[in-house]
Amino acid sequence: MTTVGFIGAGKVTQALMKGLLSSGAVTPSRIYASSKTEVSLQKLKVFGVNTCLDNLWTVKNSNITVLAVKPISFPKILSEIAPAVGPNNVIVSVAAGVTIDSIQNRLPHHAKVVRAMLNTAVQIRDGAICYSTGKNIADADQELVHRFFSSVGLTLEGEEKHLDAVVGLSGSAPAYFYLILEALSDAGVRHGLSRDVATRHASQAMLGAARMVLESGRHPGELKDEVCSPGGVTINAIYSMEKAGVRAAMMDAVDSCIKRNYELARLNE
């Protein structure tokens, strides 16, 4: 059976761990986690997983080891765990801006490395995950990684050069959508709805629209046109959004995120 290790106890680790456990893909007894302080590990002990302050211990006990630490910490962490990385270990990085080559170069030549981008919705098994594999990943390893991530969301394999775009698009997108939902909820409150009712209606509308796109396979613009009757209320709302530059603002947000990701990558070269 697969054993999973986590190095780092931050929000990404907590979200991914919660999703994995709720999916039943792995049990608490088969998860090993380490961090630099007991205080940070307390956040993980509530899941009933094995914890330790020793990162080598985590690697030695896991088939898949997820590196969920800040990019600036990677050189130190990789040097520390290198002696424990064997031919059966799959090292998975979920850090922005850290390339497969930069990881591979600090580990033994046989190291199996995967780079993945995900979002925090993995905690409810509704995440968006994209991953790329290093040169030593065999078919069986790829299948293992794909099953691992598929248990917590939509999982696609892609070229590493596209992962930066994924960071800006789906990786950070929950924050964009929370901002939009908050604005829609504010609008509902402004017009007399309670905060709870306004937020629930806006959230369900966004969820339904997303499912329509995914399940129908149709272009968002086509689905938008179906809601916009000639001379109706919705096309007037769309006009207001276009006049305010909402479309350009969303594209600029993704561009800004990707630009920052490039900056982080240069810091870790």
Side-chain angles (χ1 to χ4, degrees):
M1 292 181 65
T2 301
T3 53
V4 181
F6 289 91
I7 294 179
K11 293 179 180 178
V12 173
T13 290
Q14 294 170 51
L16 188 51
M17 192 177 289
K18 185 176 181 179
L20 286 169
L21 291 172
S22 66
S23 74
V26 64
T27 60
S29 65
R30 302 192 70 79
I31 293 181
Y32 298 82
S34 54
S35 188
K36 58 185 179 182
T37 67
E38 281 288 352
V39 173
S40 58
L41 286 177
Q42 290 300 320
K43 301 173 185 177
L44 305 183
K45 288 183 178 181
V46 298
F47 295 110
V49 302
N50 305 290
T51 61
C52 185
L53 295 174
D54 185 1
N55 293 329
L56 284 171
W57 170 86
T58 297
V59 176
K60 290 175 182 177
N61 282 288
S62 57
N63 304 121
I64 296 176
T65 303
V66 179
L67 304 183
V69 297
K70 294 184 183 299
I72 197 171
S73 300
F74 263 71
K76 180 181 177 181
I77 294 292
L78 293 173
S79 296
E80 182 183 351
I81 68 171
V85 176
N88 294 321
N89 293 111
V90 177
I91 306 298
V92 179
S93 165
V94 293
V98 182
T99 66
I100 290 175
D101 280 348
S102 69
I103 298 171
Q104 196 89 53
N105 291 339
R106 290 183 168 91
L107 293 176
H109 67 89
H110 58 255
K112 298 176 178 181
V113 179
V114 172
R115 181 183 172 195
M117 292 293 107
L118 49 83
N119 61 31
T120 54
V122 293
Q123 63 189 297
I124 58 168
R125 300 170 57 198
D126 224 350
I129 305 103
C130 186
Y131 70 92
S132 295
T133 58
K135 60 184 180 181
N136 294 327
I137 294 291
D139 289 344
D141 302 315
Q142 189 272 338
E143 290 173 7
L144 175 65
V145 170
H146 198 90
R147 286 198 309 272
F148 172 74
F149 281 123
S150 292
S151 67
V152 292
L154 173 69
T155 300
L156 302 172
E157 182 180 10
E159 296 181 57
E160 186 179 17
K161 66 181 181 180
H162 293 144
L163 288 185
D164 293 318
V166 171
V167 172
L169 186 59
S170 62
S172 297
Y176 313 157
F177 295 138
Y178 295 145
L179 181 64
I180 293 170
L181 281 171
E182 184 181 27
L184 289 172
S185 178
D186 285 346
V189 171
R190 182 168 180 255
H191 287 277
L193 297 179
S194 70
R195 174 64 68 182
D196 178 65
V197 168
T199 300
R200 286 164 67 97
H201 272 286
S203 299
Q204 183 59 45
M206 183 174 286
L207 176 62
R211 289 187 63 186
M212 284 283 287
V213 173
L214 290 173
E215 295 181 13
S216 71
R218 296 166 66 191
H219 192 284
E222 182 183 355
L223 293 170
K224 177 205 71 180
D225 287 346
E226 288 187 352
V227 188
C228 295
S229 302
V233 296
T234 307
I235 191 62
N236 272 275
I238 294 296
Y239 170 73
S240 293
M241 293 173 72
E242 294 286 13
K243 187 168 64 172
V246 171
R247 185 188 299 263
M250 295 302 296
M251 296 176 72
D252 283 346
V254 173
D255 287 347
S256 295
C257 188
I258 293 171
K259 180 181 178 182
R260 179 54 180 161
N261 190 61
Y262 285 145
E263 292 171 352
L264 290 174
R266 286 196 293 271
L267 289 173
N268 289 282
E269 288 177 349

